[in-house]
Amino acid sequence: MKKDAYLVYSEKYHAYQFNEKHPFNPIRSQLVYDLLTSSNLLNDADIIPPRLATDDELLLFHDLQFIEQVKKASREPVIANIAEQFGLGTEDTPIFKNMHEASSLIVGGTLTAVDAVLEGKSNHAFNLGGGLHHGFKRKASGFCVYNDCAIAIKYIQQKYGLKVLYVDTDAHHGDGVQWAFYDDPTVCTLSIHETGRYLFPGTGAVTERGQGKGFGYSFNIPIDAFTEDESFLLSYKKAINDIAQYFKPDVILTQNGSDSHCYDPLTHLCTTMKTFEEIPKIAHEIAHKYCDGKWIAVAGGGYDYWRVVPRAWSQVWLAMTNQQPTSNLIPDSWLEKWQKIANVKLPETWTDNPSIVKPIPRKREIEEYNEQVLYRALESLHIQQKKPFI
C-alpha cells in the first residue's frame, strides 16, 4: 500500500559540517527529527535512509573536473588558488574532511526521495538533508558543494521523463538551479526570495525569465527587506497557483529554506511561523491538483537552528501526512533535552506570538513594492494566457 510520505534522514548527515563556527550547522536535521518523534508525529516506519550518489549521478549536472577536485580536497591539502577556482576553501564553503562523501550522501538522499515518489512507494517524500541550491556545474557556492536539487531534476528527466516545477522559498535566490535549467522548457523554476540588493547571491531579478526555448519558464519574485507574513504569503499563493496552472507540471520539487523568519541572523525578512505553516500546505494542494500528489521536498537555508528550523521543517512533514500536533505546546522532553546545549531560550509553542516582529514604519511601502514585483513577475504569463491579473 502506498504511503502518504517518507522522511529521508540519517545521523550521517552530521558529517556535512564545515567547522564549528560556520553558520551551516548540521544539527538542524537532528533537531527536526527529534521534535517530530517527541511529538509522536513520526515513527520508524516513516523513515528511509539516504544512499550515496554515484559519480555518474553527480555528472548529471556537475563537471568531472569539479568532482575530482572535491574528492582530492576531501583527502589531502590542495593548492589554495586552484581550490578557489572551484569555490572551495572560501569563507562560505571551507574544505572539510570527507567533503565528497558527505555531499554525495545529501545528493543521494534527495534521489532516494525522488525514487520513493516516482516508483509509487509514496505520494510525497522529504529529504531533511537536502536543499543545497547554490552549487554550480563546476563551482561550490554559498555553503553548497554539490547541488542536490539540480541533480535530482536531471535525474527525474533522464529516468522518468517528467516535467518538473521547482519552487524555492529560501530567503536566498535559488541561483544554481535556475541557471541549470535557464534554457529548458521542461523545467519551470519559481524563486521567492529577499531582493539581491541586500543579500547573497545578488541575483534573482524579476527580469530573469529564461532564454531560448526556456524563455518564460523562470520566475523570480525578489521581495523587499522586512517583508512580513501577509505580503510574503500573498506573493507565494498567487505565484505558485498561477504558474502551476500555466505549466501543468508532472511533479513538484520544493526547496524549503526557513531563513525568511525574523529570527534568522543572515537575512532581513520578517516572517513568523505562520508563513512556514502555510507554504507546505499550499504546495501539497498544488501537487494533488496537478501532479497526482507527486511532491518531493528538500530542506535548505535556516540559520536560527534552535528556535526556527525544527518547527518550520516539521511543518513540511505535517502537511505531507495531514497531521497536526495534539497541543500547541512543544513537548517537555524535547525542551529539556536541547535547552541544556542551546545558546538561546527555546520556543515553548509551535506558533509564534506576532509581537516578535517589531513595528516597521515602511510596512505599507514594502507591501506595495512587493505587489508591483509580483505583477511584473507574472505579467507576461497573463498576457500570454489573455487573463486579467486579479
Side-chain angles (χ1 to χ4, degrees):
M1 183 177 176
K2 183 189 287 189
K3 287 178 64 68
D4 283 334
Y6 278 112
L7 186 78
V8 182
Y9 170 73
S10 169
E11 289 186 1
K12 293 179 180 179
Y13 280 154
H14 294 190
Y16 191 89
Q17 183 166 23
F18 296 105
N19 55 58
E20 291 183 0
K21 295 183 179 180
H22 197 282
F24 189 107
N25 191 324
I27 198 175
R28 305 179 309 168
S29 60
Q30 184 180 359
L31 291 167
V32 180
Y33 166 80
D34 201 50
L35 177 57
L36 288 169
T37 53
S38 298
S39 304
N40 296 315
L41 297 165
L42 177 73
N43 57 60
D44 290 344
D46 298 323
I47 299 167
I48 45 179
R51 63 171 176 83
L52 285 170
T54 66
D55 283 6
D56 284 344
E57 288 165 343
L58 299 177
L59 285 165
L60 289 171
F61 173 61
H62 290 292
D63 181 83
L64 177 60
Q65 194 177 10
F66 172 64
I67 296 170
E68 292 300 325
Q69 190 65 30
V70 173
K71 287 182 178 179
K72 184 176 181 180
S74 300
R75 300 188 304 265
E76 60 190 59
V78 294
I79 299 172
N81 64 343
I82 295 177
E84 288 177 5
Q85 292 175 25
F86 295 95
L88 303 171
T90 64
E91 183 178 2
D92 275 358
T93 315
I95 293 168
F96 61 96
K97 187 178 179 181
N98 298 323
M99 179 170 58
H100 168 74
E101 291 76 14
S103 303
S104 297
L105 188 67
I106 286 173
V107 175
T110 300
L111 300 184
T112 298
V114 168
D115 284 335
V117 172
L118 299 185
E119 290 178 358
K121 299 173 185 175
S122 64
N123 287 317
H124 323 304
F126 179 23
N127 179 20
L128 261 183
L132 304 183
H133 60 166
H134 293 307
F136 289 94
K137 184 178 180 67
R138 53 182 290 114
K139 189 173 184 179
S141 176
F143 312 164
C144 306
V145 180
Y146 297 142
N147 189 325
D148 64 294
C149 304
I151 294 168
I153 295 171
K154 293 281 189 181
Y155 183 81
I156 291 169
Q157 290 178 312
Q158 183 186 76
K159 186 173 181 179
Y160 299 100
L162 301 179
K163 290 170 57 180
V164 182
L165 173 59
Y166 172 78
V167 182
D168 191 319
T169 50
D170 196 290
H172 301 84
H173 176 230
D175 56 343
V177 182
Q178 173 182 288
W179 302 126
F181 302 99
Y182 206 55
D183 58 357
D184 189 339
T186 68
V187 178
C188 185
T189 61
L190 165 62
S191 180
I192 303 175
H193 50 270
E194 181 181 334
T195 172
R197 288 183 294 164
Y198 312 116
L199 194 67
F200 174 90
T203 54
V206 72
T207 52
E208 295 169 18
R209 301 180 184 275
Q211 66 182 13
K213 292 182 179 180
F215 184 79
Y217 294 96
S218 291
F219 294 90
N220 286 289
I221 303 175
I223 56 178
D224 208 357
F226 307 109
T227 292
E228 299 179 47
D229 289 317
E230 293 77 8
S231 185
F232 189 106
L233 288 171
L234 185 152
S235 294
Y236 171 72
K237 290 176 183 178
K238 177 68 175 171
I240 193 173
N241 276 286
D242 287 7
I243 292 168
Q245 183 181 26
Y246 157 70
F247 184 64
K248 295 181 173 57
D250 298 315
V251 58
I252 294 177
L253 171 61
T254 64
Q255 196 270 16
N256 295 269
S258 60
D259 46 3
S260 65
H261 194 280
C262 63
Y263 284 160
D264 197 275
L266 301 189
T267 71
H268 314 96
L269 299 177
C270 291
T271 69
T272 70
M273 286 306 304
K274 179 179 178 181
T275 288
F276 300 104
E277 292 168 8
E278 291 300 313
I279 284 174
K281 288 179 184 177
I282 297 166
H284 186 249
E285 292 171 4
I286 293 293
H288 280 286
K289 185 173 182 179
Y290 295 99
C291 309
D292 194 28
K294 297 182 185 70
W295 173 27
I296 298 134
V298 293
Y303 308 101
D304 191 311
Y305 44 86
W306 294 114
R307 296 177 294 181
V308 177
V309 173
R311 295 181 297 158
W313 289 351
S314 290
Q315 293 298 331
V316 179
W317 178 251
L318 297 183
M320 285 186 166
T321 54
N322 294 296
Q323 296 185 92
Q324 289 294 328
T326 56
S327 166
N328 190 37
L329 297 177
I330 298 293
D332 289 339
S333 58
W334 188 86
L335 293 171
E336 291 167 4
K337 177 178 179 178
W338 294 109
Q339 189 61 73
K340 298 172 184 176
I341 59 173
N343 58 3
V344 292
K345 178 74 165 61
L346 296 177
E348 296 181 353
T349 59
W350 284 89
T351 55
D352 284 327
N353 188 318
S355 66
I356 66 172
V357 179
K358 306 306 177 187
I360 299 169
R362 293 178 52 245
K363 180 175 181 178
R364 184 56 198 149
E365 180 183 336
I366 291 168
E367 292 172 342
E368 290 174 352
Y369 172 87
N370 291 342
E371 288 166 9
Q372 292 170 7
V373 167
L374 178 64
Y375 178 83
R376 289 182 62 204
L378 302 181
E379 183 180 20
S380 61
L381 183 155
H382 290 93
I383 290 173
Q384 181 177 335
Q385 295 186 305
K386 298 181 180 179
K387 288 174 56 180
F389 186 92
I390 300 173

